[in-house]
Every structure is written in C-alpha cells, then in structure tokens.
Amino acid sequence: MDELTRKSWQLRRDILEMMDRSKAGHVGGDLSVVDILNVLYNEVMNVSPENFGDENRDRFLLSKGHCADALFAVLGDCGFFDKREAIETFSQYGSRFIGHPNTEVNGIEINSGSLGHGLAIGVGMALAAKRKGRTYRTYVVLGDGEMAEGSNYEAMMAAAQYNLDNLCATVDLNGLQISGTTDEVMSTAPLNKKFEAFGWNVIEVVDGNNIDQLREAYAKAAEYKGKPSVVIAHTTKGKGVSFMENQISWHHGVMSSEQYQQAIAEIEEVLA
C-alpha cells in the first residue's frame, strides 16, 4: 500500500469518528468521494494553508456540499485547521463545521451545497482566470444525482463556449442518491456522451476509489488544451465498510455503537 492509499484509509477512519460523534452526516457519499479529494489536495492542486491567500492558488469547489464531512477531514489533515476540532465538533451547536462547506472554515472558497450551483461558479472562476491572465486551475466535484439539475448543463455549455481548459470537473458517480438509484430517480446516462456533446474532454475512471487511476486521470486533464475536462469517476457508495457499500440506506445514516465498532475494525484491518 503506497502512502496516499494509506492516507485514504486513515481519512475514512476520521470520517467515521466524525459521523459517530455527531450522529449526522452523509457517510456513504463521504466514503465514495474521499479518494478523489485525497488525490486532488495531496498531489494535484496548488493550494495549501500557506498559499490560500495567493491569487494564483488553485480553486476547489465541492458542489455536492452534503459531503462536507469528507472535505473537512481532508482539509484538517492538510493543516488548514486543527483536525480534532472538526472531528469533535462537526454538526454540533455553535460549531463552524456545519453540514455543508462554509467560508467560516479556512480553505473553503464558497458556501456550497445547494445542488447544481458549484459547476456554474467554477465556470466563473475559470473564466476570470483566463481574462485576468492568472495561472490557477479550478476543480469542481459534483455528485451523480446532482447531474439532474439543469443549471449544470448551462454551465457545461458556457465552459465549452469559452474554451475553459483551466477547468476540471469530477463526477463522483456512485449510482445512488437519497431516494434510490440515479437511474431510477432521474437517469443521466450516458453521462460521458452528454459531456462530449457539450464540447468537453471526457476522462473515465473505471475504479474511482483507486489512487493510481485517479492520478492518471488528473494528469491527462492537466495536459489537455482547448476544452474543459471532466473526470467521471465510477466509485462505490460507502467504500471500505462492508455493510455500507452500495446500500441506499447509508446515503444518510446513523451508526449504532456496534456498527461503528465494526466499521472501525474493518478500516484498521486494512491499515494493519
């Protein structure tokens, strides 16, 4: 197991503790998206606690803001704030670590979570970089259920119209949302063909929880010129916890004490 893969499992452990303490959060999506966030923050993006005020830092937007728990875990691990504060106070009264990303927390660019808005804001940031001659790239992570929102398709058109090759979207495609499978609720398949039709460079990742496959995808996105890029990452909801994987009920669920202990034991077994 390489260092970054090990970090993903350690981050899963942090997320589970956060969920257990708060009795809140969207644990299934957190566990599917955490590998994406891990690779972006630790290998891909030019953003850190030290340069967060720099105009040329890369921008990151979590459009699927209900998975803020995973983002807080990654940001805390990267040193943007005390990780223990996020783990111990998430979603509790008076905490700045609420259920969606907000700018009270260092490292957060925008308040997000109203689904369908992140990509449009990312288009604006990427267009601003082009017009100002800035070198930063903008990265947006969306949920697959969120792709039913019409505002995303307006943003996709605009990104292609302005040749925003400094914009990289990622779809965390785990196939499940709160009320069923994405195919049952509002199918957006074939998502790759839709992005292609809107003028995007499409990169598919067969295993979106595989660190090496994600590395390769983001390297290809950074090299591509003339079009915005999208990484369609086929992930597993609840990845890493046997009773959560591919289960709709864990889109938003509260673990019992016994379930928490089992989940932690499974993570520790991988890390052993």
Side-chain angles (χ1 to χ4, degrees):
M1 187 185 300
D2 71 19
E3 182 179 350
L4 207 62
T5 300
R6 174 170 289 276
K7 184 178 288 292
S8 277
W9 289 95
Q10 293 167 338
L11 288 164
R12 284 184 166 87
R13 183 173 57 195
D14 292 341
I15 290 166
L16 289 168
E17 183 181 354
M18 198 181 302
M19 301 299 91
D20 181 61
R21 287 175 176 271
S22 66
K23 306 303 180 187
H26 292 76
V27 64
D30 291 322
L31 297 178
S32 73
V33 80
V34 67
D35 302 291
I36 295 167
L37 302 181
N38 182 19
V39 172
L40 284 174
Y41 273 93
N42 286 295
E43 286 200 356
V44 175
M45 296 191 300
N46 174 31
V47 63
S48 67
E50 293 73 30
N51 78 351
F52 193 65
D54 188 331
E55 182 66 23
N56 277 319
R57 74 187 180 281
D58 286 342
R59 271 52 166 183
F60 176 80
L61 308 177
L62 183 64
S63 193
K64 53 174 288 180
H66 53 284
C67 289
D69 337 31
L71 180 57
F72 291 152
V74 172
L75 289 174
D77 185 72
C78 289
F80 282 87
F81 45 77
D82 180 1
K83 179 174 71 172
R84 293 308 307 175
E85 180 188 357
I87 292 173
E88 294 174 9
T89 71
F90 174 75
S91 219
Q92 296 182 27
Y93 180 77
S95 175
R96 59 192 176 131
F97 297 97
I98 59 176
H100 290 81
N102 69 96
T103 54
E104 293 297 311
V105 175
N106 190 36
I108 302 295
E109 297 283 356
I110 61 163
N111 298 344
S112 66
S114 183
L115 296 175
H117 292 175
L119 187 56
I121 297 170
V123 166
M125 289 179 169
L127 183 58
K130 289 279 190 181
R131 292 188 171 178
K132 293 180 179 179
R134 299 293 184 180
T135 59
Y136 68 82
R137 292 176 58 79
T138 298
Y139 293 84
V140 183
V141 170
L142 307 100
D144 50 354
E146 179 181 1
M147 292 308 300
E149 299 282 353
S151 52
N152 281 320
Y153 296 88
E154 295 182 44
M156 287 157 63
M157 282 192 292
Q161 174 71 24
Y162 293 109
N163 303 313
L164 299 181
D165 52 10
N166 58 347
L167 173 66
C168 179
T170 303
V171 180
D172 177 23
L173 200 155
N174 59 41
L176 299 173
Q177 57 192 98
I178 192 168
S179 51
T181 69
T182 52
D183 285 342
E184 292 169 340
V185 176
M186 183 63 68
S187 177
T188 57
L191 196 56
N192 57 345
K193 298 298 183 184
K194 286 183 168 66
F195 271 100
E196 286 175 0
F198 277 80
W200 284 57
N201 171 44
V202 177
I203 303 163
E204 291 213 53
V205 178
V206 175
D207 182 358
N209 298 115
N210 181 285
I211 297 298
D212 287 334
Q213 291 184 31
L214 290 168
R215 282 175 171 138
E216 183 179 353
Y218 288 118
K220 289 179 179 178
E223 292 169 0
Y224 195 90
K225 302 303 177 185
K227 293 181 181 180
S229 291
V230 59
V231 174
I232 299 179
H234 296 262
T235 61
T236 299
K237 195 115 177 179
K239 175 68 177 180
V241 179
S242 60
F243 60 85
M244 292 183 184
E245 288 190 356
N246 292 315
Q247 298 300 310
I248 294 172
S249 59
W250 289 103
H251 176 88
H252 186 291
V254 176
M255 292 174 287
S256 67
S257 177
E258 292 77 14
Q259 287 173 322
Y260 173 64
Q261 293 301 325
Q262 179 183 341
I264 290 295
E266 291 181 7
I267 300 298
E268 294 293 354
E269 184 176 353
V270 175
L271 288 170

